[in-house]
Amino acid sequence: MTTRLKTPENFQPQVSEEEWALRVDLAAAFRLVALYGWDDLIFTHLSVRVPGPEHHFLINPYNLMFEEIDASSLLKIDVDGQPVMESPFFANPAGFTIHSAIHMAREDAHAVMHLHTPYGQAVSAMAEGLLPHTQTAMIAKHNVAYHEYEGIATDLDERERLVADIGDKHAMILRNHGTLTVGETVSDAFIRMYFLERACETQVHMLAAGRDNLHTPPEGVEQKVAAQTAPQAIGMASRALAWPALLRKLDRIDDSFRR
């Protein structure tokens, strides 16, 4: 017999249509992370900023598996980590530190995603970081920053260094830790994470075969791919094409993320 933690009843009428749409998209992202095997029990986090001057944002409850999360169970917290709506759940302190830093500093970072996948962690521990030896890596690499490991991210002082390191990039490899992406929409952040994680997975497999016979792309190709995959292009592909298809996929499997 399976059980499901109880989420607030009749939650949708309590929030604006715009916020509810964001909740549905973020809940979908959690389900997709679980579907692709990128989750780490309950220990990573995705967030999206709620419109308004307060910089409130939605984040996952600390005690829910990603496959359980729905639109109603998401927490709304302020930049001090305090809940702004009643909820039976609570937030991950490390998630608050990382996500509040990016949301507070970057007006364009409406959505922030952070993962601890084995492949992302493996590349985060490689001295050279992400290598430009595959098309997927070249799509991601030009937009990737790096942040040095400082321990589990519960120290609020780390926020200023996170912000300084990511700069104006849309992805970051957290050394010895994992991966992070940002976007103007949940879909943008998710598609960037897809490319980054796929690039990391491919790199681990590629290096397992040895370095001696790696083929380095011709000079100038990496820069060409960077121009072809500017933020505007990623945004158009994610919002108009990939994200609607992913939502249809989830609806076929289990549409309970929408409640």
Side-chain angles (χ1 to χ4, degrees):
M1 179 177 177
T2 60
T3 59
R4 179 178 177 274
L5 288 177
K6 186 175 179 62
T7 57
E9 296 180 0
N10 301 318
F11 196 83
Q12 184 173 357
Q14 300 179 39
V15 301
S16 67
E17 289 185 12
E18 189 173 14
E19 180 177 329
W20 186 254
L22 291 173
R23 284 176 173 272
V24 170
D25 273 354
L26 188 60
F30 281 108
R31 298 294 184 95
L32 288 165
V33 166
L35 181 65
Y36 284 108
W38 298 343
D39 50 345
D40 182 19
L41 295 181
I42 60 171
F43 296 112
T44 59
H45 11 89
L46 320 178
S47 65
V48 66
R49 185 188 302 150
V50 177
E54 302 88 354
H55 278 219
H56 294 161
F57 59 95
L58 304 171
I59 198 166
N60 46 304
Y62 197 9
N63 53 333
L64 293 188
M65 299 288 285
F66 284 15
E67 67 203 42
E68 297 179 284
I69 291 173
D70 57 31
S72 295
S73 62
L74 293 165
L75 296 173
K76 182 156 67 169
I77 61 177
D78 63 22
V79 292
D80 295 315
Q82 298 303 310
V84 296
M85 294 186 73
E86 185 177 352
S87 173
F89 306 125
F90 58 97
N92 180 342
F96 165 72
T97 299
I98 293 170
H99 289 250
S100 63
I102 307 301
H103 283 304
M104 290 166 63
R106 290 271 298 269
E107 284 297 326
D108 65 321
H110 293 204
V112 180
M113 299 190 178
H114 169 48
L115 302 179
H116 301 155
T117 70
Y119 296 115
Q121 290 189 82
V123 172
S124 78
M126 296 178 184
E128 57 229 314
L130 191 62
L131 297 171
H133 284 66
T134 65
Q135 174 174 282
T136 311
M138 285 184 273
I139 290 171
K141 185 177 182 296
H142 66 93
N143 209 1
V144 173
Y146 292 84
H147 174 67
E148 188 56 74
Y149 187 61
E150 299 186 24
I152 296 173
T154 55
D155 183 355
L156 294 181
D157 289 345
E158 188 176 353
R159 292 194 294 191
E160 61 185 63
R161 293 181 289 280
L162 282 161
V163 168
D165 286 339
I166 195 169
D168 62 355
K169 302 290 189 184
H170 292 86
M172 187 155 66
I173 290 176
L174 306 174
R175 288 293 192 180
N176 313 101
H177 185 175
T179 53
L180 179 145
T181 60
V182 305
E184 291 189 14
T185 65
V186 171
S187 59
D188 291 359
F190 184 87
I191 295 305
R192 288 193 176 103
M193 184 62 79
Y194 175 85
F195 284 123
L196 180 56
E197 283 292 333
R198 181 56 64 93
C200 290
E201 180 178 357
T202 303
Q203 179 165 317
V204 171
H205 289 301
M206 175 182 74
L207 293 180
R211 292 174 175 268
D212 292 344
N213 294 312
L214 289 183
H215 177 73
T216 300
E219 185 177 352
V221 170
E222 186 179 348
Q223 292 73 23
K224 180 179 180 180
V225 174
Q228 292 171 321
T229 54
Q232 299 90 328
I234 293 292
M236 181 177 67
S238 68
R239 297 173 212 178
L241 303 173
W243 191 247
L246 287 165
L247 292 181
R248 293 194 302 272
K249 182 182 183 72
L250 278 183
D251 282 331
R252 289 192 298 272
I253 296 169
D254 178 5
D255 65 359
S256 63
F257 69 95
R258 295 183 179 276
R259 62 191 175 199

